[in-house]
Amino acid sequence: MIDKPLDGVRVVDFGQFIAAPAAAQVLVDLGADVVKIEPLHGESARGIGPHGEAMVQNYNRGKRAIALDLKDPRGQRIARELMARADIVVQNLRPGVMDALGLGAERVRSEHPHLVYATVSGFGLHGPSRTRAGLDIAAQAESGLMWVTGEAAGEPQKIGAQIVDSATAYVCAQAILAAYIRMLRTGEGDTIEVSLLDVAIHMQAPNWGAYLSTGIEPIRMGNGQPTVAPAADVMPTSDGNIVVSAYSEVHFRRLCGLLGRPELADDARFVDNPARVQNRPALLAELRGAFATMTSAEAMDLLSTNGVVAGRINTYPEAMRSPDVEASGIFVDVTQPDGVGAKALGTPWHLASIPKTSSAGAPALGQHTTEILRELDYSRETIGALATDRVVGIAS
């Protein structure tokens, strides 16, 4: 029996899509018993095709699922009974919905002061946009993140994954764990608020810090960095692309020597970092000419063994085959409700006390409804009646 940090901790998860379910997924992987409450038709991600199914499968591993009609007073009562026996509640329904159902933080925590109640919203709960629906893309747009992403002469670009949703999940889990530790010390729970907009801004701390201190607005410039070079610059090779950062004087001079072009380090156009930034197009032309004669593997071997920061730009299949990715164990074997094995994403951290093991996949809609209601002392006859009245859903 593995003794996990959150063994015995009970969590009620009203989350949909990514941010709240992914925060609760962290708690599952630390040992918590997470009960996911969904409407009878399933959470929103279940209805948007393969991409939504990927969200369900990767952010709900090992949870128990109950399907409830929360518009029915009997469904609300079941939800309140689950929260009464829980330690933590996580939700990201549209602001106001949980309050309207009598399940909001203020009421629930007044009845159960020990609870840690976490709410994820798009734009925060106090500003004029508090009732707006908010997804990752809106936070990318309104935080300035899209404004600084893309080519200088092109349109603003979104990042190629729901990075704000994912970061918000980690921030929310961090706050939950801190509040739960405080609850263990004092017996008093807490109310947590996390917004996608706040997280999206905070993710850009270097950009915002520079803007706040200089007043100079960051600009969109594609790859590379605005004040150092070469930095995060793409170098095409004979069979792909790598990215290289070597902007300190020591590393730039080393890079030039490794490429057989030591004279570049003394070229007046590249003699120091301000000169390299000013003459970036000429610098990239020189460096790219040298890398074009190498394969990506040759370039990576040359740079990585000599202390120059570089990375191969991988496709998804290439990333999955990476020896470093394979060694990390980030992809785990899971068992789906139908008994079929599959691959899913595991946790991006390692605790020595928790070995990486195969685990249960995401539950089917209503898979554990009967089991959970029996734990609340509902009789089988009552459960059957609730199912007949469409107050609860039971997986077939």
Side-chain angles (χ1 to χ4, degrees), residues 245-311:
S245 284
Y247 49 83
S248 74
E249 301 310 319
V250 170
H251 286 146
F252 179 66
R253 187 168 292 275
R254 185 182 303 168
L255 174 65
C256 294
L258 292 170
L259 295 177
R261 298 292 308 278
E263 74 280 2
L264 292 178
D266 297 313
D267 188 309
R269 298 172 298 170
F270 317 133
V271 71
D272 57 23
N273 190 65
R276 292 194 293 275
V277 171
Q278 183 176 354
N279 296 288
R280 186 188 301 271
L283 172 66
L284 294 183
E286 297 285 1
L287 297 178
R288 286 171 174 168
F291 280 110
T293 65
M294 308 179 197
T295 66
S296 293
E298 289 170 343
M300 286 301 301
D301 184 61
L302 177 69
L303 300 179
S304 61
T305 57
N306 285 283
V308 177
V309 175

Side-chain angles (χ1 to χ4, degrees), residues 198-224:
D198 281 353
V199 172
I201 289 175
H202 195 270
M203 288 170 65
Q204 303 170 73
N207 282 3
W208 276 102
Y211 174 61
L212 293 172
S213 63
T214 67
I216 299 173
E217 184 179 353
I219 60 172
R220 191 165 55 255
M221 58 175 293
N223 293 308

Side-chain angles (χ1 to χ4, degrees), residues 172-223:
C172 184
Q174 180 184 55
I176 288 170
L177 292 171
Y180 182 69
I181 291 172
R182 177 177 177 272
M183 189 277 293
L184 293 178
R185 293 203 323 265
T186 68
E188 182 181 354
D190 215 332
T191 302
I192 296 167
E193 299 174 10
V194 183
S195 80
L196 301 181
L197 182 61
D198 281 353
V199 172
I201 289 175
H202 195 270
M203 288 170 65
Q204 303 170 73
N207 282 3
W208 276 102
Y211 174 61
L212 293 172
S213 63
T214 67
I216 299 173
E217 184 179 353
I219 60 172
R220 191 165 55 255
M221 58 175 293
N223 293 308

Side-chain angles (χ1 to χ4, degrees), residues 139-193:
Q140 287 197 39
E142 299 198 17
S143 67
L145 186 56
M146 283 184 67
W147 181 252
V148 297
T149 304
E151 297 297 328
E155 65 181 10
Q157 295 284 319
K158 72 177 182 67
I159 295 172
Q162 287 100 330
I163 194 75
V164 177
D165 272 337
S166 298
T168 301
Y170 296 135
V171 170
C172 184
Q174 180 184 55
I176 288 170
L177 292 171
Y180 182 69
I181 291 172
R182 177 177 177 272
M183 189 277 293
L184 293 178
R185 293 203 323 265
T186 68
E188 182 181 354
D190 215 332
T191 302
I192 296 167
E193 299 174 10

Side-chain angles (χ1 to χ4, degrees), residues 107-130:
R107 175 174 173 176
V108 171
R109 287 211 58 245
S110 69
E111 297 171 352
H112 309 290
H114 73 284
L115 272 176
V116 174
Y117 191 117
T119 296
V120 178
S121 66
F123 304 98
L125 303 180
H126 307 286
S129 295
R130 60 185 174 274

